[in-house]
Amino acid sequence: AAAESLQSAAEPTPLLDAMQGWVTNFGDEILSHFSSIPQLFNDFGSSIASLFTGLSVNQGLLFLALIGVSIGIGLLAEHFARKLFSGSADAIRHESTDTLLATLKMLSKRFALQSFGIVVFGIVALIAAKWLLPDPDQRWVASTLILKVVIFIRFSAAVLRFVLAPSRSDLRLVSTDSATAQYLFQNLVYVTVLLAVGMFVASLMRRGNIETVDTWTFWLGMLAVGWIMALTWKARDGLTSIIIGEDEELTDGLKTMAAWWPRLSIIILGILWVLIEFISSTGSDAIKPGNGIIMVALIVVLPFLDTMVRGIAAHLVPPMQGEGPVAEKAHHETKGSYVRIGRVI
């Protein structure tokens, strides 16, 4: 009986077998991504060449020209749409920005107008592409390019401009110098361009049933996460100042978090990337590529959101009633409650 119990204890459990299989699959998949690099270059060229399958040189040039015309028509429609609200735009530019809430109100209106213009552009450009391109495959390429590349990049840039205001320090919602704001804005836009173009190519590869599409998305995600890690490290002092903000009543915990967050976020990004790849290697679709991008984006914008929440809370909290330690403590607790509510929202 004792021998049987020892033998049963030595036998691997189903869970242990599954975990060993997952680790083995993860290692094999990482190695396959490295070994597939030569084939990836060939498949990348094939996916681009597939855009012009069955087309002569002149037909290919006409195809590209019609996509450009569709985008141009969309931009023209956006221009006229902005003209309709030019009076509102001028009024917004002259609004007072003496307080954070006034600045936030003005920027929200400006962002709404910019978003409206992008929506008009997208709708008109897609309609124009459908009208100009009779072939269904060509229409698919044009619509995917407009949606996943042009609109995604422009909307992301509008959001970043809303928060960082790289060329207008008086409209900046976060507390940082112009050099840091411009550096973050430019590099995050570059990362957005990388992801947009990369996901467009991935769509072409999936449509053509190219097997190395997973290798392509692996290297795309690795490059994007690595880029964000590098810019986080280079701008670590600026990110710390963003987290601190203009709050003169920082707790010791928040000061420590502000100092360590850039380094901690780099570690979190690395762990998140490994986790996403590990789950993907198991064959599970629990975390799709789009969800992974959203999680990475949340880590990136977290310092900006927290600073904005604390700044808005400082303006919304009622003034201190009375004097003395009791009134001051009550005021600090009320402000802390506002901040916690904002963070939950």
Side-chain angles (χ1 to χ4, degrees), residues 46-231:
S46 299
S47 64
I48 300 300
S50 67
L51 295 173
F52 307 99
T53 301
L55 300 178
S56 65
V57 174
N58 290 335
Q59 289 173 332
L61 292 176
L62 178 61
F63 170 48
L64 294 178
L66 290 177
I67 292 178
V69 170
S70 301
I71 294 175
I73 293 175
L75 290 173
L76 189 62
E78 179 184 357
H79 173 73
F80 284 116
R82 289 182 184 275
K83 283 288 186 181
L84 293 176
F85 293 94
S86 58
S88 300
D90 291 336
I92 290 173
R93 279 194 291 269
H94 292 89
E95 284 189 7
S96 173
T97 57
D98 296 336
T99 66
L100 176 62
L101 288 180
T103 301
L104 184 61
K105 182 179 178 181
M106 189 273 281
L107 288 176
S108 298
K109 292 180 180 178
R110 190 177 71 170
F111 177 73
L113 286 177
Q114 291 177 346
S115 300
F116 172 74
I118 294 174
V119 170
V120 170
F121 159 79
I123 293 174
V124 174
L126 290 172
I127 293 175
K130 185 176 181 180
W131 180 66
L132 292 172
L133 298 168
D135 184 74
D137 290 335
Q138 293 182 354
R139 287 201 299 266
W140 177 86
V141 171
S143 61
T144 303
L145 180 67
I146 292 170
L147 288 171
K148 288 191 174 182
V149 179
V150 182
I151 292 179
F152 179 69
I153 292 173
R154 294 192 61 198
F155 184 76
S156 299
V159 173
L160 291 171
R161 193 177 294 110
F162 171 81
V163 177
L164 291 170
S167 58
R168 292 285 303 274
S169 59
D170 57 314
L171 299 179
R172 197 165 296 147
L173 294 178
V174 294
S175 176
T176 190
D177 58 280
S178 295
T180 299
Q182 292 171 2
Y183 174 78
L184 290 174
F185 176 79
Q186 291 174 356
N187 279 271
L188 290 175
V189 169
Y190 293 154
V191 172
T192 301
V193 172
L194 171 70
L195 289 172
V197 175
M199 295 309 294
F200 172 70
V201 174
S203 297
L204 294 178
M205 297 175 76
R206 289 192 180 94
R207 189 174 178 85
N209 295 320
I210 296 177
E211 295 181 355
T212 53
V213 61
D214 290 335
T215 299
W216 173 263
T217 56
F218 168 83
W219 288 108
L220 175 65
M222 187 176 184
L223 182 57
V225 171
W227 196 334
I228 294 174
M229 286 180 173
L231 73 89

Side-chain angles (χ1 to χ4, degrees), residues 244 247-258 310 332 336 343:
I244 292 175
D247 196 344
E248 299 178 354
E249 302 174 350
L250 290 177
T251 63
D252 292 337
L254 188 55
K255 291 179 181 178
T256 302
M257 190 271 286
R310 287 187 286 113
H332 289 167
R343 285 170 176 166

